[in-house]
Amino acid sequence: MQITDKAQCDAWYQALLDRASEYTGLFFVGVKTTGVFCISVCRARKPKRENVVFFREMKSALDAGFRPCKVCRPTENACSAPAFIEQALALVRANPKMRISDALLREQGISPERVRRWFLQQHGITFQAFQRMSRVNVALQELKGGRSATDVAFDSGYESLSGFGYTCKKLTGAAPSVGQQVIMIHRFTTPIGPMFVCATEQGVCLLEFVDRRMLETEFSDLQRLLKARIIAGENAHTRQAEKEIGEYFAGERQQFSLTLDLPGSAFQRRVWQGLQMVPYGQTTHYQALAECLAQPTAVRAVAAANGANRVAIVIPCHRIIGKDGTMTGYGGGIARKAWLIAHEKNHLIR
């Protein structure tokens, strides 16, 4: 929704004039004279105060009819990690089994407080919690590779096997074991907003925009259905998803080769498979989809299964529109749905 508090808007306008990087992603400014929306660090010529409106969420700016600025590219850069976060993450990647302390961050010229605030804002957890999840992820992969729990625990920086077991059980819901399953969750950016991808060892089980309604319910359902906990981390499937989605948005990919791990009923899976048969650059409606599935009277059931889809874009529920050609609901928002349909039509190979 649009923010109307004058003091707040005046502060944000000053941040826009100052190109204040610490406000990146905290607000979005719509410019009424040009129809675009920007983030605080935009280099474009500054609009007058009376010509701007402010939003807390990117989705609100899109829903209000503003399009992304081509200078600051807010949908790509608003939630991208700033340099100090990339620096902190580089330390984690270079030392996957080591705890990166606040003191070590300060030695590298990084403010632990800024890192903590960014992680809380973007991920809902602290940097230290993120590290614990990442270390447990590495440890579980080593357990699956045949290493003993004792060796893995001490090699991962734990002072005792019981400490490792406690942390693992707290994060994953079970004591460390060779057959234990977890769901990796990774966040990445796209031209129309950041997305979460979740994957088990078997494949991708969720791909959604981070502001999708009912996302917390989807997380809870996944953990219940797969009997696994969601923890921060990456695996081959999350990396492949980020790569293929990037190619899709670049107009370079029309078909996906991702391996999917989709808990659901037999009917839901049939509907999801039917959605994947809707050609790139085309649209259809529930009645036509039900007829393709040889169940013409199951229109409502097809619609419900479509709404239960947890893998956006790859299972293209955005290609379902009203029978009369109107835009129907979409978990990621009608503005994104329209953008995706237009994007595919613009890149359709004739």
Side-chain angles (χ1 to χ4, degrees):
M1 61 181 292
Q2 182 179 328
I3 304 303
T4 57
D5 181 84
K6 185 177 184 302
Q8 180 67 86
C9 292
D10 286 345
W12 284 345
Y13 182 68
Q14 188 59 49
L16 178 68
L17 296 180
D18 297 339
R19 291 180 56 196
S21 60
E22 63 268 29
Y23 282 86
T24 302
L26 296 184
F27 70 84
F28 299 87
V29 54
V31 184
K32 293 184 285 187
T33 51
T34 61
V36 304
F37 72 94
C38 309
I39 50 179
S40 63
V41 293
C42 189
R43 303 187 312 274
R45 182 179 177 181
K46 304 307 178 189
K48 294 180 179 179
R49 174 66 181 86
E50 61 268 24
N51 291 330
V52 296
V53 290
F54 294 90
F55 307 89
R56 287 192 185 277
E57 302 87 19
M58 181 189 313
K59 184 174 180 293
S60 296
L62 287 167
D63 288 345
F66 292 98
R67 63 186 185 278
C69 171
K70 292 184 178 180
V71 177
C72 63
R73 296 183 297 171
T75 52
E76 297 175 55
N77 298 321
C79 299
S80 298
F84 68 91
I85 291 294
E86 291 290 358
Q87 191 178 351
L89 290 174
L91 289 173
V92 174
R93 296 188 190 104
N95 307 278
K97 298 180 181 181
M98 177 178 139
R99 177 179 176 273
I100 308 300
S101 66
D102 287 357
L104 181 56
L105 289 175
R106 290 191 179 96
E107 287 178 10
Q108 301 295 317
I110 307 169
S111 165
E113 293 76 21
R114 293 183 72 194
V115 172
R116 187 179 303 112
R117 282 196 299 270
W118 190 90
F119 266 86
L120 283 170
Q121 180 189 32
Q122 301 296 332
H123 294 275
I125 58 175
T126 66
F127 180 55
Q128 297 302 334
F130 172 82
Q131 288 190 71
R132 284 194 294 273
M133 290 181 178
S134 296
R135 289 200 301 274
V136 165
N137 178 32
V138 171
L140 292 176
Q141 297 306 312
E142 291 189 347
L143 284 174
K144 289 180 174 66
R147 295 193 69 193
S148 71
T150 302
D151 288 344
V152 169
F154 286 101
D155 196 31
S156 298
Y158 292 91
E159 296 181 355
S160 67
L161 183 59
S162 60
F164 171 59
Y166 172 80
T167 302
C168 190
K169 188 170 184 178
K170 183 177 180 182
L171 293 177
T172 69
S177 64
V178 173
Q180 185 175 352
Q181 174 164 272
V182 294
I183 303 168
M184 297 290 103
I185 184 169
H186 174 64
R187 179 185 177 124
F188 63 96
T189 58
T190 79
I192 54 172
M195 300 187 79
F196 281 131
V197 57
C198 290
T200 63
E201 286 192 335
Q202 287 69 47
V204 171
C205 53
L206 180 142
L207 179 65
E208 295 281 19
F209 292 100
V210 301
D211 57 2
R212 189 209 199 282
R213 61 179 182 269
M214 303 296 287
L215 188 58
E216 290 298 326
T217 300
E218 289 191 339
F219 288 154
S220 297
D221 289 345
L222 265 186
Q223 292 178 104
R224 174 178 53 81
L225 292 168
L226 295 174
K227 296 180 175 60
R229 291 284 184 91
I230 295 175
I231 67 173
E234 298 180 61
N235 62 17
H237 298 298
T238 63
R239 288 187 284 270
Q240 183 68 13
E242 182 175 2
K243 176 179 179 293
E244 293 195 13
I245 289 297
E247 292 167 349
Y248 168 86
F249 278 108
E252 300 167 355
R253 176 176 289 275
Q254 298 185 5
Q255 301 291 330
F256 295 93
S257 60
L258 292 176
T259 301
L260 303 179
D261 183 13
L262 304 176
S265 67
F267 179 78
Q268 285 176 325
R269 290 194 183 97
R270 283 190 63 206
V271 173
W272 298 336
Q273 290 169 358
L275 285 169
Q276 290 178 287
M277 299 301 292
V278 179
Y280 179 98
Q282 297 183 30
T283 57
T284 189
H285 50 80
Y286 292 132
Q287 180 68 61
L289 185 56
E291 291 171 357
C292 286
L293 296 172
Q295 293 190 263
T297 61
V299 177
R300 288 188 178 181
V302 167
N306 180 78
N309 172 36
R310 301 183 190 90
V311 182
I313 300 176
V314 177
I315 297 178
C317 53
H318 62 274
R319 294 176 192 162
I320 299 295
I321 61 173
K323 198 172 183 179
D324 59 357
T326 58
M327 287 290 173
T328 52
Y330 182 61
I334 294 295
R336 283 200 183 106
K337 179 172 185 168
W339 192 100
L340 291 169
I341 291 173
H343 170 75
E344 293 183 0
K345 288 182 177 179
N346 289 336
H347 291 89
L348 185 62
I349 299 175
R350 293 178 170 79

